[in-house]
Amino acid sequence: MRRPAARFTLLVVGAATAALAAVLLVPDRDGLAAAFESAGELNPLLAVAATWVLILAMVPRTALAFVCGLLFGLGPGVGYALVGALLGASTAFAIGRFLGREFIDGVLAREHPGWRGALASRVAGLDRWLGRNGIIGVVAVRFLPVAPYGMVSYAFGTSATRYRDFLFGSAVGVLPSTLGYAALGAAVFGPSAVPVSIAILSGLGLLSLVVTIGLHRVRKNEPRPSPGPSRPDNLNMVRR
């Protein structure tokens, strides 16, 4: 148990260090503008790479989407912000899975007395649910505006959520807000520079689609009662 505990400690310390580095080392607006101006044709790659790294440092994703919209407009800004955010989320998920999953498994498998046992039982139930309904869980958390994008990505890596569910749920869950914040950033260039209403309507339409798919998956995964004996069998039993 010592090695999983050591890796989990490294995960916590590393995430906290990355967040502190983001606060102290992220360049200001003038520094970012100078970096993009000097990059020239490599600006798209720089935008994706910067978003990727800053997501790992738990910089707010919405702020990154706003900056991408400000610098590149709605369409390219959404694309660069979304690709960078998914790369950052995938990397954080992989780090969380490698450093934290074995430790969480060990903690949930042990017996705990009193209230700790009850808490561990509830967490284990949630963990099993995420293993079966990862897409719904990821989308629900991604829609919460107060859930830190990077920290949540590390946390999902330590859970039973499958990577494909995490990736799809992350893409669907962050697209509406990415559209919205990139539209706000693009609107800085002028009131007619970007159709903000289209971005909002697209986000609402995507949200309704996700809710419909989620409800369908929940109903599909619900245990069904075993069918009783057929009517002809009952008649044969009576005759006997």
Side-chain angles (χ1 to χ4, degrees), residues 186-206:
V188 173
F189 292 112
S192 61
V194 55
V196 179
S197 60
I198 294 179
I200 296 175
L201 290 175
S202 299
L204 292 176
L206 181 60

Side-chain angles (χ1 to χ4, degrees), residues 137-150:
V138 174
V139 169
V141 173
R142 292 304 194 198
F143 275 135
L144 295 175
V146 296
Y149 186 84

Side-chain angles (χ1 to χ4, degrees), residues 112-166:
H112 302 273
W115 64 270
R116 289 184 297 177
L119 178 61
S121 178
R122 290 181 179 274
V123 173
L126 175 62
D127 191 60
R128 290 191 297 269
W129 185 87
L130 286 174
R132 299 189 305 267
N133 305 281
I135 293 178
I136 302 173
V138 174
V139 169
V141 173
R142 292 304 194 198
F143 275 135
L144 295 175
V146 296
Y149 186 84
M151 183 180 298
V152 166
S153 300
Y154 288 113
F156 270 115
T158 67
S159 73
T161 306
R162 293 177 294 183
Y163 171 69
R164 64 185 183 185
D165 292 344
F166 170 79

Side-chain angles (χ1 to χ4, degrees), residues 6-16 92 95-97 99-100 154 158:
R7 289 201 298 267
F8 185 78
T9 302
L10 179 61
L11 172 64
V12 175
V13 173
I95 294 173
R97 180 58 52 90
L99 295 179
Y154 288 113
T158 67

